[in-house]
Amino acid sequence: MNVIKCKDLVKKYGNTKALDGLSFHIEENKITGLIGRNGAGKTTLLKIIAGFFQETSGEISVFGERPFNSLYVSANSIYINDEMTFPSTLRLSEILDAASQFYEKWDAQLAERLFDYFSFRSNQYHNNLSKGMKSTFNMIVGLSSRCALTIFDEPTTGMDAAVRSDFYRALLKDYIDYPRSIIISSHHLNEIEHLLEDLLLLKDGKVNLHLSITELKEWAIGIQGDAMLIDEWAKDKEIIHLKDIGTNRQYVVVRNNFTDSELRRARLAGLDISSVDPSDLCVYLTNKNKGGIDDVFRKAESFN
């Protein structure tokens, strides 16, 4: 069953398209990573899914309903980010009590255990917490809600490394015990790769890739060796990234549609074939130039 369906989804701010014709679906009971650089459209998409924003055109359904102003979507989903605000008159313990009245599947015991583990005090106020502690408390609300659709938008902002690790471990353990649809947005795939089943990669408001993590790991390969040999082997391939690594030597990342026999011949010719780290691949795919920052210096050299 698909929890989310999008078809030709567009969101405009004035004359600028934050989302430009997105079409995809997300299945239930999976952890999906929404990856992209700052400004790629991640938060806009998530707020449309959560029902906070209205799409400009196209179609979107969540649990079979258009999410904007949908009470059903609101009651069965939660959106967590670092800008969450709570009533300034409520203490942290009172916020958790209020949340238990709203979310049908709220787990008070989990909330209490996490609250104690991260050393919160009942009489603290949310707006007096540090940025990292706010993110940690927000995470407690997101996990304890046990919503059928749980959205974490850059959830670890301000957290130190140990707390981030604890958060990801808590999320995975609770998901295993209580499967639901979880979306985590980030521009750091390496931190959340071990959690994910699927990945949705955005670039400039468009879907760049949508596939499983297993497929992503095989989607591209790296080739390293003599520059002339690489030119020959990669001339008809989709080049994603190109880097000079010495005199007459290059490293390229290409779409992996080689046959096994082609790869064997490439190795016999003296080329090194390697897998590509998924996080690096996402960086390469969302670069404006195939050479990344190196292209800036190539252009400078061409003027000299």
Side-chain angles (χ1 to χ4, degrees), residues 184-254:
I184 309 176
S185 84
S186 178
H187 49 275
H188 297 303
L189 176 60
N190 58 328
E191 282 197 356
I192 62 174
E193 179 188 341
H194 66 289
L195 299 172
L196 305 181
E197 294 163 270
D198 284 356
L199 175 135
L200 180 62
L201 179 65
L202 297 188
K203 180 181 180 181
D204 299 329
K206 298 179 180 180
V207 174
N208 194 300
L209 282 182
H210 187 199
L211 70 180
S212 71
I213 289 295
T214 300
E215 292 171 321
L216 180 68
K217 291 177 178 179
E218 300 176 354
W219 195 85
I221 58 171
I223 306 176
Q224 180 175 315
D226 179 82
M228 292 185 65
L229 271 177
I230 286 179
D231 281 344
E232 179 184 344
W233 281 90
K235 64 182 178 182
D236 297 324
K237 304 298 181 181
E238 180 182 348
I239 297 177
I240 300 159
H241 178 70
L242 171 65
K243 180 173 69 173
D244 295 326
I245 56 173
T247 305
N248 298 323
R249 289 183 66 81
Q250 288 182 332
Y251 171 73
V252 295
V253 175
V254 298

Side-chain angles (χ1 to χ4, degrees), residues 114-131:
L114 290 172
F115 192 85
D116 291 341
Y117 178 81
F118 290 107
S119 302
F120 287 101
R121 301 188 306 275
S122 297
N123 62 351
Q124 288 178 292
Y125 291 91
H126 190 266
N127 58 349
N128 291 335
L129 298 175
S130 68
K131 193 172 187 66

Side-chain angles (χ1 to χ4, degrees), residues 52 133 136 246 268:
F52 297 167
M133 290 298 282
T136 304
L268 289 172

Side-chain angles (χ1 to χ4, degrees), residues 24-269:
F24 65 90
H25 65 269
I26 292 178
E27 298 176 0
E28 68 175 346
N29 297 339
K30 282 191 173 184
I31 302 180
T32 300
L34 180 62
I35 308 298
R37 296 185 177 230
N38 291 332
K42 301 188 302 296
T43 293
T44 296
L45 173 60
L46 293 179
K47 288 188 173 181
I48 290 175
I49 290 171
F52 297 167
F53 289 175
Q54 186 173 5
E55 69 278 11
T56 302
S57 63
E59 300 175 9
I60 179 169
S61 68
V62 178
F63 304 124
E65 293 193 9
R66 182 169 178 256
F68 187 68
N69 283 342
S70 168
L71 290 176
Y72 184 81
V73 171
S74 180
N76 289 278
S77 63
I78 188 168
Y79 173 85
I80 302 292
N81 75 348
D82 66 331
E83 297 178 353
M84 288 185 73
T85 58
F86 295 96
S88 60
T89 56
L90 295 183
R91 296 178 175 87
L92 296 184
S93 59
E94 293 172 326
I95 292 172
L96 296 181
D97 287 340
S100 69
Q101 303 300 311
F102 186 81
Y103 295 106
E104 181 182 359
K105 297 180 180 179
W106 179 266
D107 189 325
Q109 291 184 343
L110 175 63
E112 183 179 353
R113 292 196 303 270
L114 290 172
F115 192 85
D116 291 341
Y117 178 81
F118 290 107
S119 302
F120 287 101
R121 301 188 306 275
S122 297
N123 62 351
Q124 288 178 292
Y125 291 91
H126 190 266
N127 58 349
N128 291 335
L129 298 175
S130 68
K131 193 172 187 66
M133 290 298 282
K134 283 180 181 178
S135 293
T136 304
F137 181 80
N138 298 346
M139 172 270 290
I140 293 173
V141 175
L143 288 180
S144 302
S145 70
R146 294 260 168 83
C147 283
L149 174 59
T150 302
I151 299 170
F152 290 106
D153 187 2
E154 300 283 359
T156 60
T157 301
M159 292 183 186
D160 61 37
V163 176
R164 290 200 306 272
S165 178
D166 281 341
F167 164 64
Y168 292 134
R169 184 163 177 79
L171 186 152
L172 184 58
K173 288 177 72 68
D174 199 59
Y175 169 77
I176 291 171
D177 290 338
Y178 299 92
R180 62 260 206 200
S181 301
I182 297 176
I183 304 175
I184 309 176
S185 84
S186 178
H187 49 275
H188 297 303
L189 176 60
N190 58 328
E191 282 197 356
I192 62 174
E193 179 188 341
H194 66 289
L195 299 172
L196 305 181
E197 294 163 270
D198 284 356
L199 175 135
L200 180 62
L201 179 65
L202 297 188
K203 180 181 180 181
D204 299 329
K206 298 179 180 180
V207 174
N208 194 300
L209 282 182
H210 187 199
L211 70 180
S212 71
I213 289 295
T214 300
E215 292 171 321
L216 180 68
K217 291 177 178 179
E218 300 176 354
W219 195 85
I221 58 171
I223 306 176
Q224 180 175 315
D226 179 82
M228 292 185 65
L229 271 177
I230 286 179
D231 281 344
E232 179 184 344
W233 281 90
K235 64 182 178 182
D236 297 324
K237 304 298 181 181
E238 180 182 348
I239 297 177
I240 300 159
H241 178 70
L242 171 65
K243 180 173 69 173
D244 295 326
I245 56 173
T247 305
N248 298 323
R249 289 183 66 81
Q250 288 182 332
Y251 171 73
V252 295
V253 175
V254 298
R255 177 76 181 270
N256 185 15
N257 48 19
F258 288 93
T259 64
D260 290 341
S261 61
E262 285 178 318
L263 292 177
R264 283 194 296 271
R265 290 200 304 272
R267 290 189 176 97
L268 289 172

